[in-house]
Amino acid sequence: MFYVSRGSIPPTRHTQHRAPDGSLYPEELFGVEGFTGRSSLLYHLVPPTRVQKIEPIGPVTIETADDGSHHHQLVDTASVTPSGDAISGRIPLFHNADVVMGIVLPAEAMPDGTFYRNGEGDELLYVHEGTGTLRTNFGDLAYHPGDYLVLPIGTTWRLDPYPASFQRMLYLECPSEIEPPKRYRNDYGQLLEHSPYSQRDIRIPEFREPTDEQGDYRVIVRARGRHTAYHFATHPFDVVGWDGYLWPFAFDIANFQPITGRVHQPPPVHQTFAARNFVVCSFVPRKFDYHPLAIPAPYNHSNINSDEVIYYVAGNFMSRRGVGIASFTLHPAGIPHGPHPGTAEASIGKEATEELAVMVDTFRPLWLTKQAAALENPGYPFTWLPADDHAKEASDLAERGPEAFPD
């Protein structure tokens, strides 16, 4: 990432930084990997260590479903109803040791005076529907559909949806850093000319004056597999200034510049973020391949050692029979997948796709949760069989458009 400075900071780090009344602003190092990873320095009105009360909330549990077989899976979340807030409303769907992913449809804002801090990993929220403000100790980020919201481990935050704004989000939690792929960065961290996005596209929190208020402020901290509530007498957003390389940010999927070619390009060209043992990719509207004999639909491919999850955001998903908006497909390692019958032929001659989808590829097996199993379509593994009226289906496919061809 890159260096950012906001608010009031001293000219030299770890030196006296005084308020107008002469008192010292307490300094906080916010960093990862001990003292060797990315970090920022934050300056507070009150030391961030002054906890008044600690209360247990309970363990964070994930119940795994296992029907004893290994197969492609389709999980349809379109009918899920809003509940809870950005934390209590989360529904985990897939998980392994490297990542948990699921959906959240917040029905309400987090209670007044309540905040969240994940002390176990980074978080990513992809905003499918809804608008509002992500408030953090670094500042505020207004969000809208299409935004990726990336929160480094240890960030204190709350999500405030705008009134009457329906909210639907994909969320990821992982015990590693979520960052732009290394192959798109030079030795100085700058995104390169051939990267599908640049630093200009990354939105930094809007700095606001420190909140100098007293009361009972509750920060729910996730650590050691459980939630614990820490109560403070002063507002946690009391930062007068900060600088460094570690901070939350937003990136609009609409600013992802797709990489195209003469023939079908493989999924790595869609990569947007990287973490340990998984990647996040963005399938966005783009021109199709321009070789005169190109087949725009993806070719059949075997996931030899990775699991592939696609979340379908918008578009007419021609290459996926029975898949609708707000569905997930899981194509696991060990078995091939590809376009459904008739879609390869129907894609020939198409000029562009209007798809919008988010893909997560993991390099260790994913497990379904019991919530995901309850939403699964058991017929999906057999959708590659030809339809009873194959000729009619092929004709209907050829007449559809604009189509989407996720891998």
Side-chain angles (χ1 to χ4, degrees), residues 190-207:
Q190 183 179 13
L191 288 164
L192 298 167
E193 285 296 302
H194 64 278
S195 169
Y197 59 96
S198 76
Q199 276 87 357
R200 293 184 187 181
D201 301 316
I202 294 174
R203 304 203 312 271
I204 313 300
E206 180 180 349
F207 184 77

Side-chain angles (χ1 to χ4, degrees), residues 344-360:
E345 186 70 43
S347 73
I348 295 173
K350 304 295 184 183
E351 294 185 356
T353 175
E354 295 299 324
E355 73 181 341
L356 197 61
V358 176
M359 184 173 77
V360 178

Side-chain angles (χ1 to χ4, degrees), residues 223-347:
R224 304 297 190 270
R226 67 186 68 242
H227 282 146
T228 303
Y230 286 71
H231 291 257
F232 297 85
T234 54
H235 200 288
F237 294 170
D238 68 339
V239 174
V240 301
W242 63 269
D243 77 325
Y245 285 76
L246 186 62
W247 25 262
F249 66 90
F251 171 70
D252 188 344
I253 197 171
N255 290 326
F256 187 87
Q257 303 296 326
I259 297 171
T260 60
R262 296 188 74 215
V263 296
H264 183 80
Q265 298 297 293
V269 303
H270 306 291
Q271 188 179 345
T272 310
F273 302 113
R276 186 175 62 235
N277 290 328
F278 76 91
V279 299
V280 178
C281 300
S282 302
F283 290 95
V284 301
R286 62 192 182 278
K287 291 290 186 181
F288 273 144
D289 327 311
Y290 48 89
H291 189 285
L293 298 178
I295 302 174
Y299 37 77
N300 296 297
H301 50 288
S302 292
N303 291 9
I304 301 300
N305 59 358
S306 67
D307 283 6
E308 174 191 287
V309 173
I310 297 181
Y311 177 66
Y312 299 84
V313 177
N316 179 5
F317 295 102
M318 177 175 165
S319 64
R320 289 282 177 271
R321 184 190 290 168
V323 174
I325 304 304
S327 292
F328 291 81
T329 54
L330 169 59
H331 300 141
I335 47 177
H337 70 278
H340 280 131
T343 56
E345 186 70 43
S347 73

Side-chain angles (χ1 to χ4, degrees), residues 38-111:
R38 287 190 296 148
S39 66
S40 291
L41 289 171
L42 293 80
Y43 297 86
H44 297 264
L45 296 176
V46 175
T49 51
R50 289 185 180 174
V51 61
Q52 302 287 311
K53 182 176 70 172
I54 299 173
E55 58 178 347
I57 296 177
V60 179
T61 59
I62 293 180
E63 295 182 287
T64 300
D66 184 3
D67 66 1
S69 66
H70 181 70
H71 56 271
H72 296 311
Q73 289 159 318
L74 168 62
V75 176
D76 186 355
T77 68
S79 62
V80 172
T81 57
S83 65
D85 56 40
I87 306 303
S88 64
R90 293 186 178 189
I91 302 174
L93 298 173
F94 311 97
H95 72 100
N96 63 19
D98 302 309
V99 64
V100 175
M101 71 184 83
I103 58 165
V104 58
L105 285 72
E108 58 197 10
M110 296 166 67

